[in-house]
Each structure stands twice: as C-alpha cells, then as structure tokens.
Amino acid sequence: MPSIDVCFSPELLHLYDLKGKAVVAVDILRATSTMVTAFAEGAATIYPVMDLEECRNFAVNGCLTAAERNGIKAEGFDLGNSPFGYMDGKVKGREIAITTTNGTRAIRMSEAASEIVVGAFLNLQAVADHLESLGLDVLIVCAGWKGQFNLEDTLFAGALVERLQGKFSSENDSTLAALYLYQTAKADLLNFLRQSSHVRRLEHLEIHKDIEFCLRHDAYTTLPVWRKDRLVDLKS
Ligand SMILES: O=C(O)[C@H](CS(=O)(=O)O)OP(=O)(O)O
Ligand SMILES: [Mg+2]
C-alpha cells in the first residue's frame, strides 16, 4: 500500500526525498484555489514563477501576468490572486504566468517529485482520484505562510487524508495531526478559520468572499499537474 505524509512548510522539504513520489502542492488562501479556478475557467497553461521580474518577462510572449505580494495585486500586472479575478471569460484560452507570496514557491520547490498535482478544496475529489490511480507514495506540501505552518493548508491535507483513508498507509504524526484537525473543524471550516493568521491578516483587504469560495469542496474536476516547466489541466 502506498504511503501518505504531510509536510507543513516548503522550508521543511529538505527532510524529504521527493524522488518517485507524488506531491500535492496546496495553498488554499489563495494561490492553488485560484489556479484550479483559472483552469476551470478555461486557462490553457499556468507558469508558476518565483519572482516578480521573471513573471513580468512572460508578457512579451503574450501571456497574462499575475502577481500578488502580501495579499495585494502587484502593480503593473494583469491579475492578482483572487479567484474571482479569473472569471467571466478573462482567462479563457490564455497562458498565465503567476507569482504569489507562498503558493508558487511550494510548487517550484517540489520539482524533484515524479508528479506534482495542484490541490485545493475546490478540486479535492479529482486530486484524490488521481493519486489513487497513480499508486505512488504521496507527500502533501503545505505552502504555509513565509515558511511557517498555517491552518488552512493543514485542513486541506486532513481532508485529502480522510478521502484516501484505507487506500494509503501512514504512520506519521503530521498526517494524523492534519486528519484530526480537519475532523474537528469540518462542520464549519469558515468559523474555525476566523482566528487564523491569514484571515486576520487579510481582513482589511475585504476578501471574505474569496475565503468562503476557497473553502467550497468539489466545485470543479480540474486537475492541474506540472509538466516540464508549466501546469496543464489533465481534465481538459
Ligand atoms: O494572496 C494570498 O491570499 C496570500 C497572501 S499572504 O502572503 O498569505 O498574506 O498569498 P499566497 O501565496 O496565496 O499564500
Ligand atoms: Mg496562502
């Protein structure tokens, strides 16, 4: 039986051997929720990049550029990090280069893995089904916040572990902790997250609508996966 484990921050990735593993990169608020939404809205390709300058350079190839730092859309870019900014036909058929504070780092720092899947509550079941069909050992990589643990990504990890119970083995305390946290919180995730650092930090930015949206389970069957230097949607 393949195993499942949870890494609470990309800064802890040096403790893991990613070779031969499937990584699920997650940044619920909001990068991976936004990427899943972008593909559901018809985006062709997403290039997750580490810094603003690199992202800006993609514009010369006709890409839409998206950038966020500390919750705010960076100046001079087409899009920010709100899933609602990717709706209403804005990204249909388009290539997008994106850089965010935490989420894009989690993806790029996992490149040694055999497969990288972008996960969110929005595509939870699609991710679970894909992992089951791959049959590889799984590491869920939480983007966290600037290297630190966060609640929302850990809750997603617990939700995924719950969906895969009986199909993957685990002896790690991190996996158990994520599962127990999710089971404690799942009846009302929004309320549970009210005290979280992200919600408090971004409260003044009025992104309540985003937070509620990003906590929806199984809204999409989108399945973004890393291929060579970009994300593509396996479901399209
Ligand atoms: O845009 C977001 O929600 C966050 C902002 S912050 O750095 O956590 O304040 O970025 P993300 O890379 O999606 O975590
Ligand atoms: Mg985040």
Side-chain angles (χ1 to χ4, degrees):
M1 194 185 275
S3 66
I4 190 160
D5 196 358
V6 183
C7 172
F8 291 127
S9 159
E11 308 308 318
L12 297 174
L13 273 171
H14 63 276
L15 302 173
Y16 299 85
D17 180 9
L18 298 185
K19 241 173 78 198
K21 286 201 172 71
V23 157
V24 180
V26 55
D27 185 350
I28 293 300
L29 301 173
R30 296 165 287 174
T32 60
S33 301
T34 295
M35 291 173 190
V36 166
T37 304
F39 278 121
E41 291 284 323
T45 304
I46 296 178
Y47 296 95
V49 297
M50 296 287 247
D51 62 69
L52 293 167
E53 206 41 54
E54 194 189 349
C55 190
R56 198 172 279 121
N57 291 338
F58 274 83
V60 296
N61 305 323
C63 278
L64 287 170
T65 59
E68 164 275 335
R69 287 295 180 267
N70 298 315
I72 298 166
K73 175 174 172 285
E75 225 184 290
F77 291 83
D78 301 311
L79 301 160
N81 197 19
S82 168
F84 291 101
Y86 294 69
M87 294 177 179
D88 305 322
K90 286 193 200 80
V91 300
K92 198 168 173 41
R94 299 296 303 269
E95 297 198 312
I96 305 165
I98 182 168
T99 180
T100 73
T101 311
N102 309 291
T104 49
R105 295 189 79 237
I107 296 169
R108 296 304 300 267
M109 287 172 74
S110 301
E111 275 179 68
S114 294
E115 175 85 316
I116 306 174
V117 188
V118 167
F121 286 113
L122 294 167
N123 69 341
L124 179 59
Q125 193 56 46
V127 171
D129 291 344
H130 184 60
L131 295 174
E132 221 189 310
S133 73
L134 286 175
L136 299 174
D137 290 339
V138 171
L139 182 65
I140 305 168
V141 177
C142 298
W145 183 71
K146 297 188 178 177
Q148 294 180 42
F149 173 95
N150 77 14
L151 279 178
E152 65 272 17
D153 299 340
T154 308
L155 287 169
F156 167 84
L160 186 55
V161 169
E162 188 182 76
R163 294 266 172 119
L164 293 171
Q165 256 176 339
K167 293 161 184 162
F168 286 76
S169 67
S170 180
E171 281 145 27
N172 298 300
D173 287 355
S174 57
T175 312
L176 271 182
L179 178 64
Y180 292 156
L181 191 74
Y182 178 69
Q183 289 177 338
T184 304
K186 69 178 175 183
D188 191 351
L189 283 183
L190 189 61
N191 203 32
F192 188 85
L193 280 175
R194 261 184 225 294
Q195 292 306 309
S196 73
S197 58
H198 192 104
V199 172
R200 281 185 284 120
R201 196 169 52 248
L202 298 187
E203 215 149 33
H204 63 285
L205 299 176
E206 294 177 358
I207 62 158
H208 291 286
K209 203 167 73 147
D210 290 36
I211 295 167
E212 264 188 76
F213 181 77
C214 293
L215 296 179
R216 273 194 216 164
H217 289 43
D218 301 314
Y220 302 126
T221 54
T222 319
L223 189 64
V225 293
W226 179 254
R227 291 290 178 264
K228 199 169 160 214
D229 61 349
R230 66 193 68 183
L231 293 170
V232 297
D233 181 11
L234 267 198
K235 285 285 162 74
S236 69

